[in-house]
Amino acid sequence: MAAEQHGAWFGFGFCGFGQELGSGRGHRHQVHSPEPLRAGVDICHVSASWSYTSFLTRGGRVELSGSASGAAGGCRDAWASEGLLVVLSAQPGPGQGSGAVLQAWAPDSAMRGEPLWAKNVLMQPEREDEPGGEALAGTLPLLPCAHAYVGPRPPFYRPLAPELRARRLELGTEHALLLGAEGQVFSWGGGRHGQLGHGTLVSEREPRLLEALQGLPMAEVAAGGWHSVCVSETGDIYIWGWNESGQLALPTRTLAEDGKIVTGEATGLNESGSEVKRTVGNEDGAPAPFIAVQPFPALLDLPLGSDAVKASCGSRHTAVVTRTGELYTWGWGKYGQLGHKDTTSLDQPCRVEYFVDKQLHVKAVTCGPWNTYVYAVEKGNS
Amino acid sequence: MLPVPACSDERAGLLGPHGASRRQSRHDSTPSRRRRGTSVTELVAGQMAEGTSCLGDPPAGAGALWETLSALLPHTKEELKLDLSDSIERSVVTLLQQATELFYEGRRDECLQTSEVILDYSWEKLNTGTWRDVDKDWRRVYAFGCLLKAVCLCKAPGDATTLAAALRVCDLGLLMGAAILGDILIKVAAILQTHLSGKRPAQGVAQEQPSTKKARTDHVVIPEVKLERTVPRLHRPSLQYFREHFLVPERPVILEGVADHWPCLRKWSLEYIREIAGCRTVPVEVGSRYTDEEWSQTLMTVNEFISRYIVGESRDIGYLAQHQLFDQVDVENPDLEKFPRFAEAPFLSCILSPGEILFIPVKYWHYVRALDLSFSVSFWWS
């Protein structure tokens, strides 16, 4: 998520622990519309857990905000979870860039004293030459060598088969998604909500290739609490898993019954027939079928046929950046994490108008479980 | 938000006398003798065990309600606490403390807001992994959130809708939470229920004259039961006889004449159930069979259930949920290609009439079809 030109970060959603999410005005617990993060801090990467956020600056400083505080320098990547803060630091001493130290900290330790766990790791040779180490930031929980990843619970160090050639790895609440060198997607872990995408509701202990996506090279993967998203090299979005708050942009019963649904034609209906818990509707315009779980990848069309380039998922919401610099969000919105100035949940992609109004070109998005951080530059600069 | 209904499990101390004077806290490690059949069952049984459980004439006005509720809660914030294991994240413990402080400081709106966060977060934990694996402390946290929310809702003067909402919150806490503070949620729910029956919600459901609307009874066909495959019957056997001939050798048997003293056989009717539990929220399975595509689980009040599925014209079949996970064989129409050995599976069958008890030995698969509008009660024990 490196930034070529200097843009700014914005945040919205849950900040009940005082984590930095915007201007920090007053004692608000939620922010419903994007607000710029305080200026003057050169953030190149954000990793947000539920009760705190970690910011990594271009200068290699990790700063914590929220239920955890503290800062440390010499860092190249950071990954925040409730039980564990994982930091990749440059190895001090001679042989600059040859190695790094992976440290797992208790979040409330403020990175002082002894970490819970530490390990020397090798960097990939080609990565060392990147200035500022920015290319590394955001790889965690995948280790630089790509032969292992860090887990939020013991065992902290989890090996990966080298033949997977992992490029990116994302962890959901119960599952894991891996993007391989050729754009193949693997998934494993808990599957009770269809989040593995293999068409079943069973768990998988080992990484299993998503056959439904074979032949479609993916550029990005993102894991939410119980759902999964990936973006193809051609800008298509595939999505699967739990849809209880509309996070798959498919019609959901809970929203319809609560009267919070935003009516409109459901786009991006899945192509395969194995949905679970679907009510049969009539031909003559009866209510659209509700989908609670989508166990196969479904193709999702954004309005106006926009191409997606980036995706990130929170616990129960989804955010996507388009090639033209727009941000779309949908799913659970109770804490303002969709950025539409309200707390409505949506089961359709909706553009975050703030960035359009301010003529900002969105470049990147990172979701915490209940909030969203966005990086954008002024139009005309991109 | 539609929570996932609970699977059956222990509810320590749900049955049995629990007057308001008993305030010692319960530790849930003592296994309960009985497990959950349906929540309405336990409500009714609880009422039965106490005899006249009503709190006398319900006082009028929100002030009186608040006084009654306050009397239930500890007087100081130090007493309103849960002893939680380390599996509960520190950030959540902080939030619980904050919520408690806000409560005792009389900051109702802020307490509600914090309780909502506690509920949303613990709800996610309750939906992580299988129900069996959910740490009991998360369920206690959830129950605590429900308690604070319910009581805060009642703090301001409210109409029947607010009371119904507070009662629903209590029921969610009872369904998915775990016992806290001497089963305080049961007591709060009982008080709210008493107050609610004084003020009927203006929904039309509760105002129906029970006598003019009868349950629809489809034409009942009593299937033939082959003599040699019939479950044997015993009339009031001694405990020893039952143990020696059926319990130990694990044989099913129907016990006759052993429930004659149960008042429910005389008392239970649609009107009576409505009267004592109509406003309570229960899980309902919708659909003839769990294998149906249309099958789903949802939550509704007993009044709603009776109106929709017993009295009403709905095409769906609704069952108060059984919380069991079955295997895939459709007993009425078995797929013998998929389950070839099912045709040879030895079985016994029977027809159970009101007042009769069927003993089902441990690990005995069983299939039940209701031939008529019925209310069955199940007990599990070890």
Side-chain angles (χ1 to χ4, degrees):
Chain A
M1 228 175 308
E4 309 84 357
Q5 48 289 112
H6 288 287
W9 283 89
F10 302 79
F12 45 98
F14 175 72
C15 51
F17 287 89
Q19 58 266 59
E20 160 108 51
L21 201 63
S23 57
R25 259 199 319 269
H27 293 290
R28 293 168 308 168
H29 295 250
Q30 7 179 302
V31 172
H32 299 170
S33 190
E35 289 188 7
L37 299 186
R38 55 195 164 89
V41 178
D42 226 356
I43 301 166
C44 71
H45 175 60
V46 175
S47 178
S49 183
W50 176 64
S51 67
Y52 74 100
T53 306
S54 74
F55 300 101
L56 176 68
T57 69
R58 267 177 252 280
R61 201 169 154 76
V62 164
E63 294 185 5
L64 306 178
S65 169
S67 68
S69 57
C75 305
R76 306 177 79 153
D77 197 2
W79 182 72
S81 72
E82 277 312 285
L84 212 65
L85 168 69
V86 182
V87 180
L88 187 71
S89 306
Q91 189 127 45
Q96 175 194 10
S98 60
V101 175
L102 190 70
Q103 293 172 312
W105 297 89
D108 54 12
S109 68
M111 293 177 284
R112 296 232 163 78
E114 288 304 309
L116 294 174
W117 177 84
K119 190 174 167 59
N120 291 334
V121 293
L122 289 172
M123 311 285 277
Q124 280 187 324
E126 49 268 39
R127 291 259 170 95
E128 286 178 18
D129 301 331
E130 302 268 6
E134 283 166 20
L136 260 185
T139 324
L140 283 178
L142 183 65
L143 297 197
C145 62
H147 288 188
Y149 66 101
V150 191
R153 289 166 293 278
F156 296 131
Y157 185 86
R158 303 177 185 192
L160 286 169
E163 51 265 26
L164 291 172
R165 295 165 70 212
R167 205 162 97 200
R168 257 204 82 75
L169 184 142
E170 286 246 328
L171 296 179
T173 300
E174 301 179 55
H175 75 298
L177 290 180
L178 186 148
L179 180 66
E182 256 103 62
Q184 334 88 297
V185 178
F186 299 83
S187 69
W188 68 99
R192 281 169 14 106
H193 295 287
Q195 62 265 57
L196 299 184
H198 303 301
T200 68
L201 302 181
V202 300
S203 314
E204 298 276 347
R205 294 185 50 192
E206 296 297 322
R208 181 176 161 183
L209 178 70
L210 251 84
E211 275 140 22
L213 301 176
Q214 243 170 348
L216 299 164
M218 296 295 147
E220 276 253 313
V221 290
W226 299 270
H227 69 296
S228 308
V229 179
C230 59
V231 177
S232 73
E233 286 172 359
T234 52
D236 291 325
I237 303 168
Y238 293 85
I239 194 161
W240 63 95
W242 204 11
N243 190 46
E244 50 74 42
S245 283
Q247 59 265 56
L248 303 190
L250 297 169
T252 179
R253 182 193 296 270
T254 48
L255 289 187
E257 281 174 355
D258 291 348
K260 291 199 194 92
I261 201 172
V262 172
T263 53
E265 269 149 324
T267 56
L269 288 176
N270 51 292
E271 293 162 333
S272 53
S274 306
E275 298 87 16
V276 178
K277 297 185 194 170
R278 185 184 224 198
T279 53
V280 178
N282 298 327
E283 307 288 350
D284 56 333
F290 297 122
I291 293 163
V293 164
Q294 172 62 30
F296 278 111
L299 175 65
L300 171 63
D301 290 322
L302 291 177
L304 313 172
S306 309
D307 284 344
V309 291
K310 293 259 194 284
S312 184
C313 301
S315 186
R316 297 145 67 186
H317 74 289
T318 311
V320 161
V321 180
T322 67
R323 208 183 295 283
T324 49
E326 293 171 329
L327 180 72
Y328 285 84
T329 59
W330 62 92
W332 195 43
K334 184 170 174 180
Y335 290 92
Q337 61 265 56
L338 300 186
H340 302 299
K341 297 189 206 161
D342 60 22
T343 57
T344 317
S345 297
L346 300 170
D347 61 1
Q348 290 182 89
C350 214
R351 191 171 68 176
V352 181
E353 295 304 318
Y354 175 88
F355 298 102
V356 179
D357 296 341
K358 302 267 184 195
Q359 301 199 323
L360 293 164
H361 185 111
V362 175
K363 294 293 234 178
V365 64
T366 302
C367 294
W370 295 3
N371 48 32
T372 309
Y373 289 91
V374 179
Y375 181 76
V377 300
E378 291 188 11
K379 273 201 197 308
N381 287 350
S382 54
Chain B
M1 126 182 94
L2 186 69
V4 173
C7 291
S8 58
D9 63 11
E10 296 159 288
R11 287 274 186 273
L14 194 62
L15 295 172
H18 40 256
S21 56
R22 270 170 126 238
R23 288 161 70 92
Q24 69 208 87
S25 60
R26 273 186 176 276
H27 291 282
D28 296 313
S29 51
T30 42
S32 161
R33 278 295 185 86
R34 292 162 168 178
R35 284 168 72 186
R36 166 180 291 281
T38 65
S39 64
V40 177
T41 312
E42 294 185 330
L43 292 173
V44 173
Q47 296 259 349
M48 283 165 55
E50 291 178 344
T52 49
S53 63
C54 287
L55 299 169
D57 293 335
L65 169 64
W66 176 245
E67 270 177 43
T68 323
L69 289 175
S70 290
L72 275 183
L73 297 159
H75 296 298
T76 62
K77 66 182 185 204
E78 283 74 28
E79 292 173 85
L80 185 72
K81 65 182 259 260
L82 303 178
D83 285 319
L84 298 168
S85 68
D86 288 336
S87 55
I88 306 305
E89 291 137 7
R90 196 173 296 210
S91 46
V92 174
V93 175
T94 309
L95 221 50
L96 289 167
Q97 282 164 359
Q98 268 176 30
T100 308
E101 272 167 25
L102 289 168
F103 181 76
Y104 281 96
E105 285 165 21
R107 291 154 74 176
R108 172 198 180 260
D109 288 344
E110 289 169 83
C111 181
L112 265 177
Q113 192 176 44
T114 311
S115 303
E116 203 64 36
V117 175
I118 292 168
L119 283 173
D120 284 328
Y121 192 70
S122 55
W123 184 88
E124 292 192 351
K125 296 294 185 188
L126 264 48
N127 278 280
T128 301
T130 61
W131 183 252
R132 225 188 334 251
D133 296 331
V134 172
D135 194 313
K136 195 160 201 169
D137 274 350
W138 280 118
R139 292 171 45 204
R140 295 173 69 218
V141 170
Y142 183 81
F144 193 84
C146 288
L147 172 67
L148 285 184
K149 179 173 178 178
V151 177
C152 280
L153 282 175
C154 296
K155 201 165 186 207
D159 57 357
T161 317
T162 319
L163 287 193
L167 181 56
R168 187 187 150 89
V169 172
C170 288
D171 281 334
L172 291 177
L174 287 167
L175 281 169
M176 297 195 297
I180 53 166
L181 303 166
D183 287 314
I184 195 170
L185 278 176
I186 297 180
K187 300 171 190 171
V188 174
I191 292 170
L192 289 173
Q193 189 172 352
T194 313
H195 277 253
L196 257 179
S197 49
K199 316 180 203 181
R200 286 265 162 103
Q203 280 161 15
V205 166
Q207 285 162 358
E208 281 166 356
Q209 297 306 313
S211 54
T212 55
K213 269 212 173 156
K214 301 194 77 168
R216 62 194 166 116
T217 40
D218 302 329
H219 177 58
V220 174
V221 174
I222 307 215
E224 208 186 284
V225 177
K226 286 196 174 60
L227 202 59
E228 60 271 21
R229 300 269 202 177
T230 256
V231 176
R233 290 167 166 271
L234 287 180
H235 185 82
R236 296 189 169 178
S238 71
L239 199 55
Q240 191 139 348
Y241 189 87
F242 164 73
R243 198 184 131 106
E244 194 181 313
H245 292 90
F246 296 95
L247 178 62
V248 169
E250 293 173 10
R251 295 206 164 98
V253 63
I254 293 176
L255 304 171
E256 297 173 347
V258 296
D260 294 351
H261 61 291
W262 278 21
C264 63
L265 289 175
R266 285 181 279 104
K267 282 170 113 175
W268 283 6
S269 68
L270 280 184
E271 295 91 76
Y272 181 73
I273 301 279
R274 272 194 142 135
E275 195 184 306
I276 58 156
C279 49
R280 304 301 297 268
T281 298
V282 292
V284 172
E285 294 174 357
V286 180
S288 295
R289 294 181 283 254
Y290 62 90
T291 44
D292 280 354
E293 271 206 353
E294 319 298 305
W295 190 88
S296 66
Q297 281 193 324
T298 187
L299 293 165
M300 62 184 73
T301 65
V302 170
N303 281 333
E304 285 167 343
F305 171 75
I306 291 174
S307 300
R308 223 191 281 189
Y309 297 104
I310 311 292
V311 171
E313 297 298 313
S314 170
R315 282 193 324 254
D316 292 326
I317 311 262
Y319 295 102
L320 286 175
Q322 298 286 311
H323 314 300
Q324 290 260 17
L325 283 175
F326 290 93
D327 219 329
Q328 295 297 320
V329 175
D330 178 355
V331 175
E332 305 248 14
N333 189 17
D335 182 346
L336 292 175
E337 270 185 39
K338 207 170 160 197
F339 303 104
R341 297 184 64 189
F342 189 74
E344 287 117 62
F347 71 93
L348 295 174
S349 66
C350 62
I351 296 171
L352 211 59
S353 299
E356 296 178 347
I357 296 180
L358 172 65
F359 164 67
I360 303 175
V362 62
K363 291 188 196 151
Y364 229 86
W365 289 106
H366 49 282
Y367 172 80
V368 177
R369 169 156 56 106
L371 301 175
D372 197 356
L373 177 67
S374 56
F375 200 126
S376 65
V377 180
S378 305
F379 291 99
W380 289 266
W381 77 95
S382 58

